[in-house]
Amino acid sequence: MSGGDTHTRSAPSAHPGMAAAQGPVAPSSPEQVNPFPESLPLFPLAESVLQVWRGASNSGLLPQLLASTPQPRSNGAVPSEATKRDQNLKRGNWGNQIEFVLTSVGYAVGLGNVWRFPYLCYRNGGGAFMFPYFIMLIFCGIPLFFMELSFGQFASQGCLGVWRISPMFKGVGYGMMVVSTYIGIYYNVVICIAFYYFFSSMTPVLPWTYCNNPWNTLDCAGVLDASNITNGSRNPALPGNLSHVLNHSLQRTSPSEEYWRLYVLKLSDDIGNFGEVRLPLLGCLGVSWVVVFLCLIRGVKSSGKVVYFTATFPYVVLTILFVRGVTLEGAFTGIMYYVTPQWDKILEAKVWGDAASQIFYSLGCAWGGLITMASYNKFHNNCYRDSVIISITNCATSVYAGFVIFSILGFMANHLGVDVSRVADHGPGLAFVAYPEALTLLPISPLWSLLFFFMLILLGLGTQFCLLETLVTAIVDEVGNEWILQKKTYVTLGVAVAGFLLGIPLTSQAGIYWLLLMDNYAASFSLVVISCIMCVSIMYIYGHRNYFQDIQMMLGFPPPLFFQICWRFVSPAIIFFILIFTVIQYQPITYNHYQYPGWAVAIGFLMALSSVICIPLYALFQLCRTEGDTLLQRLKNATKPSRDWGPALLENRTGRYAPTIPPSPEDGLEVQPLHPDKAQIPMVGSNGSSRLQDSRI
C-alpha cells in the first residue's frame, strides 16, 4: 500500500503503556475521548493511569497531543498489523516479491523467445546450440542480470538516479532511456498487429485460409488445396495440368503471406513510400497503448497486479498448443529437426556469437528495465536468488517455445510433403505468416489462432510495461520533487501519448520497413557498448571492493566468488566478444527480397549512435561543470560518488553511509523512523565508527 493511500487504522497511543489499547481518534470535544466508564472496576495501577488519561482529556491536552502525533509510517510489515506498508513511502514498493519476479519474467520473456530462439537453434546445430547457449547464460546472462538488479535495488533509483555512483557516467542512463524509447515505440506496433490478428480470428473461417479473397493474386496457392495435390502427386499418371499446378504450388505464394503483405500491411514498394496510414492498425495501436496505460496508471502498484495474469497465462497457452501440436502427424519430425545436434557446428565462432547475442538481448540487459524494476524492491530483498530464478525461467521458456513451434511446423511440412526448413522462419515471418498458415490446417482453427495471438499480446505487454515504466521512473526520479511524484499518472499518460504519436508512421504502408530498421539498429550493438561501459564503471571506476561491500550490506552476504570473477573479467570479455562478433557478422538489412537503400541504413546507424553518443557528451558536460584546477582533478571529482549516493532510506545507511550530522533536505534522503515508537540515535562504536541505534521513546 502506497504512502499516499488513506488508512482507517487507529492513531498511536500517547503513552507506551497504552500500546495495547485501541487508539482513539482525535475528538472534537473532551467528552468523546473517555472510553472508560467511571464505574468500571480497576486495579490500582490501571486506575492511576486512567486518572491521568481523564485529567488530560478534561483539560483539552489530549486532543492536542493526538492531533500532533504523527501517523505510523512503518517500514515493511509491523507485528500485529494485517496490512503491509511500503518501506519506501516516497516511491512505493512492490506489493510482494511475487509481483517483482512475475514482472521481471514478463519483461525478459518476450516475442523473441517465440520467434527468434527456435530459428537460431535449428540454424546453429539444433541440440548442439544448447551447449554454448547455456554456457553463455552461466558466464554472462545471470551475472549481468544480478548486477543490474543489485544496482537498482541498492540505490532505489531508476536508470538515471543510480549514476550518483559515478556522475560522469550518467550518460549511460540516458543511453538506456533512448534505447527503451526506440524499443517501446516499435514494440507496441508489433503488439497492435497481434491485436489485429486476434480480432480477425473471431470468424468461422480464418481469412487467410483460402485464395478466394479480393486481395489474392494468381500466384496464390492455398495449403489445403496444395495438400490434396501433393498427396495425389505420388501417382505417376497425373494429368499435365495437375503437374503444372503441383510445380506451381511448391513455389507458391501462400494465402497467409498475401493476407499479411497485401491486406494487413498493404505493403508499399519502398521504405520512402509511406502511402496511407492503415486505419485498422492505427485503431489497434490506440487500443494497445490504452491497455498499457491503464495497467500502469498507478505504477508498480497496478502493473504488479496485472502481471499475475499477463506473465502466467502465456505458459498456459504454450502448454495447450504443445499438447495439441505433439498429437499431430509429423510433429515428431519437426521436433527432431529442432533438437537434433550437429556437433561439428560447435567449433564455429558464429554459433557461439549467436548464443551470446541471444542471451544478452533476450534477458533485456542494458535496457534500463531491470534497474527500474529492482528499484521498487525493499532494500534487503534477496535479488541474487531472483536473478537466478528469472534468468533460468527465461531460457527454459525459449526452449519450451521451440518445441511448441516446431511441432506445428513439422505437421505443416508433413502435410505439404516438403522439408521442415521450407516452412521454418523467424521474426514477423514466423508470427504472422508461417504459424498462422499452419493453424489453418487444425480443426477449429479460429480457436487455436485466438490462443496463439492472445499469447503474443500478453508476451508483448509484459515487456512493454517495463519499457514504459523505465521512462516514467527515470523522469520522475530525475525531477524528484513532490509535485511530480503526485502527478506521476500524468507523466505516464504523457509518455503513452508521445509513444502513440511516434508509432503512427509505423502503421503506414511502409511501416514494416521502419519497424525492422529500428529492430535491427536501435537495439543492437549500442546495447553491448552500454553494458560494457556499465561493467567497467562499476567494477573499475567505483571499485569492485566498494560494490561488493555494498551488496554485503544489502543482502547480508557478499556476492559469490564466481560472480565476482565474472563481473571483473569474464562478463566484460564476453560482452566485448559480442561486440566484435556483431561487427564482423554485419550484413546490410533486407526484408524478403527488398534491399534497403543507403540513406535508410544511414538512418539506422544514426539511431544506434544516438544512444551511445549520450555517454561521451554527458561526460564532457560533467567535466566542464565539475570543480577542479586541473583536468585530472576534475576527472577525479566527476567520477567519485556524489554525496547522496547510497541507500535511499536513512535507516539503511549504515557503515560508511551512516550520517555523522543530521541530514538536510538537500541531500535527497527520505528521513523516516524504523518503527513508530522508535527513533534513530547515532551511536559511536568501540572502533570509532558511527552506527544507528534504535531507542524506544
Side-chain angles (χ1 to χ4, degrees):
M1 189 174 295
S2 63
D5 291 343
T6 304
H7 304 284
T8 57
R9 294 201 305 242
S10 58
S13 173
H15 192 280
M18 300 299 298
Q22 292 184 352
V25 179
S28 57
S29 62
E31 289 75 20
Q32 292 175 319
V33 303
N34 189 353
F36 304 102
E38 297 287 344
S39 59
L40 188 66
L42 299 168
F43 294 101
L45 178 61
E47 186 174 10
S48 62
V49 171
L50 288 181
Q51 287 177 358
V52 175
W53 177 283
R54 293 184 183 118
S57 301
N58 297 331
S59 65
L61 178 61
L62 183 60
Q64 297 177 18
L65 288 174
L66 289 173
S68 61
T69 302
Q71 293 293 321
R73 303 180 69 192
S74 52
N75 301 315
V78 176
S80 77
E81 279 189 338
T83 304
K84 196 172 184 180
R85 303 294 305 275
D86 285 341
Q87 190 181 70
N88 192 324
L89 298 173
K90 186 177 181 181
R91 298 177 82 249
N93 295 109
W94 295 104
N96 56 62
Q97 210 49 37
I98 297 178
E99 293 181 6
F100 166 69
V101 172
L102 289 178
T103 301
S104 300
V105 167
Y107 173 66
V109 176
L111 299 173
N113 298 70
V114 173
W115 75 21
R116 179 168 170 79
F117 174 81
Y119 174 82
L120 282 178
C121 196
Y122 97 82
R123 191 184 75 178
N124 290 301
F129 180 72
M130 303 290 184
F131 179 73
Y133 183 72
F134 283 104
I135 290 292
M136 291 300 175
L137 170 67
I138 293 171
F139 287 96
C140 184
I142 297 178
L144 288 177
F145 207 92
F146 180 30
M147 173 179 281
E148 292 204 27
L149 290 190
S150 60
F151 195 21
Q153 180 174 307
F154 182 80
S156 298
Q157 291 288 311
C159 61
L160 289 181
V162 290
W163 289 103
R164 295 168 182 168
I165 192 174
S166 185
M168 195 177 87
F169 291 96
K170 192 175 182 178
V172 174
Y174 284 109
M176 291 177 174
M177 285 187 66
V178 172
V179 169
S180 291
T181 301
Y182 285 136
I183 298 174
I185 291 171
Y186 78 77
Y187 215 84
N188 229 18
V189 175
V190 178
I191 297 173
C192 94
I193 297 174
F195 265 115
Y196 184 87
Y197 270 80
F198 177 77
F199 296 140
S200 300
S201 301
M202 297 177 181
T203 176
V205 178
L206 294 175
W208 55 86
T209 303
Y210 300 107
C211 293
N212 56 354
N213 301 291
W215 59 82
N216 291 127
T217 66
L218 295 177
D219 294 329
C220 179
V223 172
L224 296 176
D225 295 333
S227 66
N228 298 331
I229 296 171
T230 304
N231 292 335
S233 65
R234 297 188 179 94
N235 188 343
L238 269 177
N241 59 339
L242 283 184
S243 299
H244 172 74
V245 173
L246 172 61
N247 293 331
H248 175 67
S249 67
L250 295 179
Q251 299 176 352
R252 67 194 178 91
T253 302
S254 66
S256 62
E257 182 180 350
E258 292 199 348
Y259 179 78
W260 160 252
R261 183 166 48 87
L262 302 177
Y263 183 74
V264 177
L265 301 179
K266 286 192 176 179
L267 191 64
S268 66
D269 57 352
D270 186 71
I271 188 174
N273 181 15
F274 283 92
E276 65 179 8
V277 172
R278 299 287 294 121
L279 293 181
L281 292 181
L282 183 64
C284 291
L285 181 64
V287 169
S288 59
W289 273 113
V290 168
V291 170
V292 171
F293 169 71
L294 292 178
C295 292
L296 287 173
I297 195 167
R298 293 185 61 235
V300 296
K301 291 299 179 186
S302 53
S303 67
K305 303 300 183 290
V306 175
V307 293
Y308 281 106
F309 179 73
T310 60
T312 56
F313 195 73
Y315 291 96
V316 177
V317 177
L318 277 174
T319 303
I320 293 173
L321 292 174
F322 175 73
V323 171
R324 183 68 184 101
V326 295
T327 59
L328 298 171
E329 185 180 359
F332 183 74
T333 304
I335 291 175
M336 290 307 296
Y337 190 86
Y338 165 56
V339 300
T340 300
Q342 302 172 32
W343 295 109
D344 57 310
K345 289 198 173 185
I346 279 192
L347 301 177
E348 298 179 11
K350 182 177 181 298
V351 175
W352 289 83
D354 278 346
S357 299
Q358 178 63 14
I359 283 290
F360 184 83
Y361 296 126
S362 176
L363 289 176
C365 298
W367 290 16
L370 299 178
I371 294 175
T372 302
M373 295 303 104
S375 71
Y376 292 101
N377 279 334
K378 294 182 179 178
F379 184 74
H380 295 294
N381 170 64
N382 190 347
C383 57
Y384 166 66
R385 172 203 59 203
D386 296 340
S387 62
V388 175
I389 292 173
I390 297 165
S391 301
I392 293 178
T393 300
N394 172 71
C395 296
T397 304
S398 297
V399 176
Y400 185 40
F403 285 98
V404 177
I405 296 297
F406 273 88
S407 64
I408 300 291
L409 295 182
F411 163 68
M412 182 178 178
N414 178 76
H415 195 84
L416 287 172
V418 298
D419 191 72
V420 179
S421 61
R422 294 283 301 273
V423 295
D425 202 350
H426 72 290
L430 171 67
F432 301 117
V433 177
Y435 206 85
E437 183 177 16
L439 294 175
T440 61
L441 302 174
L442 300 178
I444 325 177
S445 55
L447 171 63
W448 307 111
S449 183
L450 283 170
L451 285 174
F452 176 73
F453 288 110
F454 189 52
M455 178 188 70
L456 289 188
I457 291 170
L458 295 181
L459 288 174
L461 288 176
T463 303
Q464 189 68 16
F465 291 158
C466 296
L467 290 169
L468 187 63
E469 185 63 35
T470 297
L471 298 175
V472 173
T473 299
I475 295 171
V476 172
D477 285 350
E478 185 66 8
V479 178
N481 57 38
E482 291 295 329
W483 180 86
I484 200 167
L485 286 169
Q486 296 173 358
K487 304 296 183 182
K488 185 178 178 180
T489 300
Y490 295 101
V491 178
T492 307
L493 177 62
V495 173
V497 171
F500 170 75
L501 295 177
L502 292 172
I504 290 177
L506 301 184
T507 62
S508 67
Q509 291 179 253
I512 192 66
Y513 297 126
W514 290 98
L515 189 150
L516 292 174
L517 186 72
M518 296 176 73
D519 183 45
N520 277 269
Y521 289 96
S524 58
F525 73 88
S526 56
L527 288 176
V528 184
V529 174
I530 289 172
S531 186
C532 188
I533 294 177
M534 183 181 69
C535 275
V536 170
S537 60
I538 294 177
M539 290 293 106
Y540 296 100
I541 305 299
Y542 177 63
H544 62 276
R545 290 188 180 87
N546 289 333
Y547 196 68
F548 298 160
Q549 290 173 8
D550 291 344
I551 291 182
Q552 182 167 9
M553 185 177 76
M554 178 172 66
L555 302 183
F557 57 88
L561 180 61
F562 171 77
F563 285 87
Q564 296 182 22
I565 296 173
C566 285
W567 285 346
R568 296 183 62 194
F569 308 110
V570 181
S571 296
I574 293 177
I575 295 172
F576 186 72
F577 166 71
I578 296 173
L579 179 60
I580 299 299
F581 171 77
T582 304
V583 173
I584 294 176
Q585 198 191 26
Y586 171 76
Q587 293 178 346
I589 182 176
T590 60
Y591 176 59
N592 293 337
H593 301 294
Y594 174 75
Q595 293 282 344
Y596 278 69
W599 62 268
V601 175
I603 291 177
F605 276 111
L606 288 176
M607 283 192 291
L609 290 174
S610 63
S611 55
V612 177
I613 201 68
C614 295
I615 302 173
L617 287 181
Y618 190 87
L620 290 173
F621 169 73
Q622 188 68 23
L623 278 175
C624 293
R625 64 198 295 257
T626 302
E627 297 179 354
D629 297 330
T630 63
L631 179 62
L632 183 60
Q633 188 62 42
R634 286 172 176 262
L635 196 62
K636 289 181 178 179
N637 292 336
T639 54
K640 69 180 183 181
S642 59
R643 283 179 57 224
D644 52 355
W645 161 249
L649 302 184
L650 181 63
E651 68 187 57
N652 296 323
R653 297 180 74 90
T654 58
R656 68 176 186 273
Y657 296 103
T660 55
I661 58 173
S664 63
E666 289 78 12
D667 290 335
L669 302 177
E670 184 177 348
V671 182
Q672 58 189 62
L674 180 66
H675 196 277
D677 60 348
K678 292 182 179 181
Q680 301 283 345
I681 300 178
M683 303 290 291
V684 178
S686 57
N687 59 354
S689 62
S690 176
R691 59 190 176 89
L692 294 178
Q693 177 69 35
D694 293 334
S695 175
R696 288 194 176 274
I697 298 177

